[in-house]
Amino acid sequence: MREEKIIEILHETLHAEHGSALEMLATSKNATKSSHVNGYFHHAKDEYNHSKTFQSLLAKRANRLPPDIARSYRFSSIGLLKKGYVSKKGFLIETMKLKDFIAYVYTNELLAKDSFSKILKLLEINSGDYIKVSDIMTDELRHHGMAKEYFLRYYPTLQPWQLKCYKLREIIKNKTRIIYYKNIKFLDKVFNPIYIFLSFFAALLLNHLNVKYFHRTNANLMNISSRSMF
Amino acid sequence: MFIGISGYNHESAVALINNEGILIDYCKEESLSRIKGDKSFPKRALSKIIKKNHIKKDLISHIVFYEKPLTAFLTPLKTASSYLPKSLSFISHQLRNFDNSSISCFTDLAKFAPGLEKKLSYIDHHLAHTLTALPYSRKQKDLCSIVVDGFGDRSTASISYIKDMHDIKELWSSDYPHSLGLFYSSITDFLGFNVNEGEYKVMGLSSFGNSNSKLAKIVFNLIKWDDVKNNIVVNLDYFSYHISISDSFSKELIKLLGEPRNPFKKLQPGDKDFQKFADIARGAQDITNVILSKIFSYAYRITNSNSFLFSGGVALNSAALNTLADLNFTKDIILPPSPGDSGAAIGSALYGFIKSYPTNLSIKKPSLFPTAFSIDDEKDKVKKIINESFSIISENKFESLKLCSELIHKGKVIGTVISNSETGPRALGNRSLICDGMNLKSVNYLNTVIKNRSPFRPTAPAMKRITAEKYYEIKSELYQSYFSMTATCKCRDPKANNFPTTHIDGTARIQIVEDESILGQLLDILHPSGVDILANSSLNLSGDPTCFDLIDGLMFCSISPLEYLLTDLGLIKKLA
């Protein structure tokens, strides 16, 4: 049970790290100043390396699972969109104001460090995996420091209490996100029988749908109306 | 100007055709989002194409989407409704995700490019594939188009007769859920590879399998061609892609073949279970060859045409093409460089052009490198990255090529990010990893160390035509495909069997390069030193899309053991 929990956490963290790598790469490409491009490039590089580390940690444990369970822990980057680690609306830099984006990085690196310390508690002390995750924590702290420096350089009038507000805001947002997803899962369980019931009636109607209309044998495909969605 | 859009089911893409019918830009969303197989509405690709080509919205005559959304939405639902109650969860999921289907194309377009949605039209999915393949053929009338894919708005395979580009008549189609593409994807899933991504791996693995083994024969019999009804028939007891969101195969298949592969277990020749999975892959490949041969034979019978356009996701199965070329009636098989769904954006845009110019009877062949990219957009931005972590060895183009050749001769691997990029999934030189194709150590290093690929997957060789003719059985029927690396061929010279780019079954997916291409120029310089073949693989890590711009290339270099990158800025070396 404990092993599967670790695997699940590693799987989620792998998504989070890969998502961060893509976010930082997109930010690097969006930046106009060469120094900013470079800064975000190196941040993205670190996140890619973290993602690689989590991929190998996951593989090491998941290859002991029965195939049907292991299959559900496969990683593909398309999962980032499905799981919401990259928003379907776009990357953060495409949807946020720069100031908010920098604040987001600043606070989230610190929060990431906190969640890595929780992961460490699940791992055997001083094992290879433990050391790898500790190294990642050092990186996250460095990123946090860089973001803080960057933030204060470009927004020098900001007071420390304002930074604390940003952090608090992110903590609340993260907690709300967790509550939201838990509620969604709960509501899904509650409403699923209703959905299934409605789907049953929809299926009965669909059974009467005549798909012969969709057949195009002997039709000139170039002459089918292009305004129609059928 | 005409824009074609594909998306929502497989990799999304945008193509731009000008008023002369020439493909002037093409971009896959995954190239910009860096999410492999990104199927969301191609907002970045669309925006990039509009900005890069300075297009004003009123200059766009048509935006054409590559399928009929309502047909594509309703057909699987109608099918699933016949499998109640097993399919209830599937139906519920589809209905609840109505707004994530391609029906949203109109609203997404209105959101990301307001005003353009009024110009949106929809075409038959297999017509989009046919039109994508058409410009690559010299002959553009009186030929047959065969499309075989997983599922495209209503059918899974079709045969059409092209009288001319204004008269394309569908003569046969195979109804969903009986699908060769979905059968192959389910076996891909069973073998532990990601669907829509790992099909190449199954193809490579199949060469290690034995057609006479029990497992290969069992898999061979899971799908068949009905000679009486002329149709594909899948034994649906063993598959569940039509009734389940999460499982593509049923428990019956596990009872039949044993446990599926754990995707995290390494698959290496000689390992326990390797032969079992190779035999399963062999069975899937054998029956794919047979069914495609049957479809081609039937197409010949009903159209009397011996020139074929072949497209759809299954056309990416380069290993099957040799069998098709060997059919005694085949004269030509033309494949577009990107026969899958992302390429269908090109056919969709062409539809707009053809409809707007009813007297036009031919379309120009698109470039193999249509995706516009200019280093000028990035030159200043990457200065600091290069100064800090790389060094430019040479800025002169010819000197860079010369230095590259020396490095290749010494056994080094070079990455390339040069000029425009390729349309299809195969790297043809501009976004490639290359090394001496006759040097076993270099090829192994490229394949297993830099790309971290399983050793059973072969690396493709690129060469000049004269070298190809010397070492390989070049088939005139597939000649065009060798330029876009879409077909395999057998070794002719026994020496070639020992090349590290030759697969275990004595075949190679060769690329014939044009003289003026970057690989052509490199081979010219390398020829005196005896290197006539380059190993060529795409510039990406396993699971990532191929690099698109210079920043992607520099990132690849930074996180992999690759040391050298040939770019429009010159030859770049990673600092230790």
Side-chain angles (χ1 to χ4, degrees):
Chain A
M1 188 59 204
R2 185 184 148 87
E3 184 66 6
E4 243 188 81
K5 189 174 162 57
I6 296 176
I7 289 171
E8 204 171 316
I9 291 171
L10 292 174
H11 186 240
E12 290 301 320
T13 315
L14 164 59
H15 280 86
E17 291 301 297
H18 203 82
S20 298
L22 299 190
E23 290 284 358
M24 290 304 141
L25 187 67
T27 313
S28 171
K29 290 181 183 185
N30 258 283
T32 43
K33 276 190 177 178
S34 182
S35 57
H36 294 179
V37 175
N38 185 43
Y40 286 116
F41 177 87
H42 284 285
H43 192 158
K45 181 184 147 189
D46 287 343
E47 300 292 351
Y48 267 117
N49 286 329
H50 299 169
S51 149
K52 260 203 296 195
T53 303
F54 278 100
Q55 215 153 356
S56 72
L57 293 181
L58 175 69
K60 217 164 77 181
R61 287 170 186 268
N63 76 8
R64 297 193 290 256
L65 291 174
D68 55 327
I69 300 173
R71 283 175 65 235
S72 60
Y73 292 113
R74 269 188 290 202
F75 174 76
S76 75
S77 52
I78 197 91
L80 298 175
L81 290 169
K82 282 184 195 158
K83 284 176 169 276
Y85 285 99
V86 171
S87 167
K88 285 177 186 165
K89 287 180 195 159
F91 289 116
L92 296 172
I93 195 67
E94 296 168 335
T95 55
M96 271 180 167
K97 285 179 188 162
L98 185 63
K99 190 177 171 183
D100 287 337
F101 174 76
I102 302 167
Y104 176 88
V105 176
Y106 160 76
T107 48
N108 273 281
E109 290 299 331
L110 206 57
L111 296 175
K113 191 230 146 209
D114 292 346
S115 49
F116 285 129
S117 38
K118 282 178 195 156
I119 295 176
L120 274 186
K121 283 180 192 161
L122 296 168
L123 302 172
E124 198 184 314
I125 297 175
N126 290 330
S127 63
D129 294 356
Y130 188 94
I131 293 165
K132 281 178 189 168
V133 177
S134 306
D135 288 346
I136 292 176
M137 278 172 69
T138 317
D139 277 350
E140 300 294 345
L141 268 181
R142 187 164 45 83
H143 295 157
H144 168 74
M146 277 159 57
K148 187 176 178 181
E149 191 191 315
Y150 183 52
F151 201 8
L152 293 174
R153 193 187 312 155
Y154 286 91
Y155 301 98
T157 50
L158 277 175
Q159 298 298 313
W161 65 266
Q162 285 173 295
L163 289 177
K164 276 185 187 162
C165 281
Y166 270 117
K167 191 181 169 190
L168 189 66
R169 193 178 74 173
E170 280 307 313
I171 291 172
I172 294 169
K173 265 167 82 179
N174 282 347
K175 296 264 184 222
T176 333
R177 200 180 303 140
I178 293 167
I179 295 168
Y180 175 78
Y181 280 111
K182 277 189 180 164
N183 270 322
I184 285 279
K185 274 188 181 172
F186 173 73
L187 290 174
D188 201 53
K189 272 186 189 163
V190 172
F191 284 109
N192 200 39
I194 301 169
Y195 291 137
I196 294 287
F197 183 72
L198 291 174
S199 300
F200 180 75
F201 283 102
L204 292 181
L205 284 176
L206 283 163
N207 253 324
H208 293 286
L209 181 75
N210 186 356
V211 287
K212 274 189 184 163
Y213 176 73
F214 301 156
H215 282 212
R216 285 166 199 150
T217 310
N218 289 322
N220 179 358
L221 298 176
M222 293 298 286
N223 284 345
I224 294 169
S225 165
S226 60
R227 306 304 297 176
S228 165
M229 288 175 105
F230 283 105
Chain B
M1 295 280 189
F2 306 91
I3 287 180
I5 294 180
S6 65
Y8 298 95
N9 304 310
H10 294 109
E11 320 99 297
S12 51
V14 178
L16 178 68
I17 301 272
N18 71 5
N19 292 340
E20 284 153 18
I22 297 168
L23 177 66
I24 52 172
D25 205 348
Y26 168 84
C27 189
K28 283 197 265 187
E29 185 68 1
E30 67 170 26
S31 300
L32 306 176
S33 72
R34 310 306 304 150
I35 294 173
K36 175 102 171 158
D38 191 344
K39 56 184 182 179
S40 49
F41 178 79
K43 49 185 179 292
R44 297 180 187 93
L46 183 63
S47 159
K48 181 238 160 194
I49 279 185
I50 289 176
K51 272 188 205 155
K52 182 94 195 156
N53 297 283
H54 311 289
I55 303 169
K56 287 186 182 149
K57 283 179 189 168
D58 53 346
L59 287 178
I60 300 169
S61 314
H62 289 281
I63 297 202
V64 185
F65 188 62
Y66 83 136
E67 71 174 11
K68 296 279 190 185
L70 271 173
T71 313
F73 180 74
L74 289 171
T75 304
L77 278 173
K78 161 78 183 166
T79 305
S81 69
S82 332
Y83 293 89
L84 290 174
K86 279 194 285 186
S87 59
L88 265 176
S89 297
F90 174 87
I91 294 170
S92 167
H93 178 274
Q94 293 298 90
L95 291 173
R96 287 169 65 190
N97 284 281
F98 176 83
D99 57 338
N100 287 331
S101 71
S102 60
I103 294 167
S104 311
C105 186
F106 182 88
T107 46
D108 283 339
L109 196 55
K111 194 157 85 189
F112 296 110
L116 287 183
E117 76 279 6
K118 289 170 196 152
K119 298 175 181 178
L120 183 63
S121 49
Y122 311 91
I123 60 166
D124 180 87
H125 182 65
H126 283 193
L127 175 64
H129 277 305
T130 296
L131 292 176
T132 304
L134 189 59
Y136 295 92
S137 171
R138 259 186 234 152
K139 187 181 172 189
Q140 296 188 342
K141 58 178 191 171
D142 301 320
L143 73 160
C144 172
S145 168
I146 294 174
V147 180
V148 187
D149 56 9
F151 165 63
D153 22 93
R154 67 210 147 85
S155 58
T156 63
S158 67
I159 298 170
S160 304
Y161 182 72
I162 304 170
K163 194 175 170 194
D164 59 53
M165 63 182 64
H166 301 279
D167 188 349
I168 300 174
K169 195 176 275 179
E170 183 173 289
L171 300 174
W172 169 86
S173 66
S174 167
D175 287 343
Y176 177 84
H178 296 281
S179 163
L180 180 58
L182 293 176
F183 157 79
Y184 205 87
S185 291
S186 304
I187 297 295
T188 302
D189 191 18
F190 187 89
L191 293 172
F193 306 120
N194 287 338
V195 171
N196 295 332
E197 203 184 306
E199 282 78 1
Y200 302 119
K201 298 179 189 174
V202 177
M203 204 165 60
L205 182 62
S206 70
S207 303
F208 291 85
N210 177 359
S211 297
N212 293 319
S213 64
K214 193 181 155 199
L215 281 172
K217 283 180 180 167
I218 291 173
V219 174
F220 188 92
N221 288 314
L222 292 173
I223 178 172
K224 65 172 186 174
W225 174 263
D226 183 333
D227 280 315
V228 180
K229 291 180 182 163
N230 293 308
N231 240 332
I232 299 167
V233 182
V234 177
N235 189 338
L236 293 169
D237 293 342
Y238 297 98
F239 299 94
S240 46
Y241 54 76
H242 55 304
I243 51 167
S244 166
I245 292 299
S246 52
D247 299 316
S248 60
F249 53 88
S250 70
K251 284 183 181 148
E252 296 303 312
L253 192 71
I254 300 175
K255 279 186 204 160
L256 193 70
L257 301 176
E259 282 290 308
R261 180 181 153 253
N262 179 326
F264 294 95
K265 282 200 174 144
K266 289 234 160 143
L267 196 56
Q268 305 209 45
D271 282 0
K272 184 182 168 256
D273 283 344
F274 180 84
Q275 200 52 49
K276 170 189 162 180
F277 295 124
D279 288 343
I280 290 172
R282 183 70 256 164
Q285 187 59 42
D286 284 346
I287 191 63
T288 299
N289 295 353
V290 168
I291 289 181
L292 286 177
S293 301
K294 294 278 188 184
I295 295 175
F296 271 68
S297 303
Y298 185 58
Y300 176 62
R301 232 162 65 211
I302 60 175
T303 63
N304 208 24
S305 167
N306 50 15
S307 293
F308 301 96
L309 301 180
F310 184 28
S311 54
V314 177
L316 285 163
N317 194 309
S318 50
L321 285 183
N322 257 323
T323 314
L324 302 175
D326 283 342
L327 297 169
N328 56 17
F329 52 82
T330 307
K331 190 180 162 211
D332 282 312
I333 303 176
I334 306 293
L335 278 88
S338 182
D341 273 8
S342 59
I346 299 172
S348 306
L350 276 171
Y351 174 87
F353 168 76
I354 295 167
K355 279 299 198 188
S356 300
Y357 295 91
T359 52
N360 182 65
L361 286 173
S362 72
I363 323 167
K364 285 184 185 135
K365 187 179 169 184
S367 151
L368 286 173
F369 305 95
T371 305
F373 170 74
S374 162
I375 191 64
D376 294 337
D377 301 339
E378 283 196 304
K379 205 155 70 181
D380 294 330
K381 285 170 103 177
V382 296
K383 256 183 196 163
K384 193 150 189 218
I385 301 178
I386 292 180
N387 287 344
E388 222 175 69
S389 315
F390 297 86
S391 68
I392 299 183
I393 302 178
S394 168
E395 289 183 20
N396 177 283
K397 191 189 163 191
F398 184 72
E399 199 187 50
S400 295
L401 284 173
K402 239 182 118 186
L403 287 168
C404 266
S405 311
E406 283 166 20
L407 290 165
I408 288 171
H409 187 51
K410 283 181 192 161
K412 295 282 182 191
V413 177
I414 311 283
T416 63
V417 181
I418 295 167
S419 183
N420 285 5
S421 79
E422 296 84 343
T423 333
R426 323 285 192 213
L428 302 175
N430 287 12
R431 301 290 184 281
S432 287
L433 282 166
I434 46 174
C435 70
D436 179 354
M438 287 162 156
N439 183 331
L440 177 66
K441 220 171 138 188
S442 301
V443 176
N444 280 348
Y445 184 73
L446 184 160
N447 201 19
T448 56
V449 179
I450 294 188
K451 289 207 71 167
N452 194 22
R453 299 202 316 182
S454 319
F456 67 82
R457 292 181 64 196
T459 307
M463 67 207 78
K464 291 279 188 90
R465 181 182 166 173
I466 192 164
T467 314
E469 283 169 347
K470 184 177 167 190
Y471 292 117
Y472 300 96
E473 283 179 17
I474 300 298
K475 289 189 193 299
S476 61
E477 299 88 344
L478 294 172
Y479 189 67
Q480 290 241 32
S481 297
Y482 301 130
F483 289 86
S484 53
M485 227 195 246
T486 41
T488 58
C489 59
K490 288 178 191 153
C491 294
R492 181 179 166 202
D493 188 321
K495 250 196 263 174
N497 275 318
N498 299 322
F499 292 166
T501 48
T502 301
H503 201 26
I504 183 124
D505 59 359
T507 65
R509 201 182 65 218
I510 69 159
Q511 179 196 358
I512 296 181
V513 302
E514 306 270 13
D515 288 348
E516 64 276 16
S517 69
I518 204 75
L519 297 187
Q521 293 175 53
L522 271 172
L523 283 164
D524 280 339
I525 305 172
L526 280 162
H527 178 67
S529 56
V531 180
D532 286 325
I533 296 177
L534 293 169
N536 179 8
S537 186
S538 54
L539 186 72
N540 68 318
L541 287 175
S542 178
D544 276 348
T546 304
C547 293
F548 173 64
D549 54 28
L550 186 55
I551 294 184
D552 294 333
L554 295 172
M555 181 57 76
F556 179 91
C557 219
S558 302
I559 58 174
S560 74
L562 181 71
E563 288 177 280
Y564 297 94
L565 204 57
L566 181 63
T567 72
D568 295 307
L569 295 177
L571 180 62
I572 295 175
K573 185 179 190 271
K574 180 168 72 180
L575 296 177

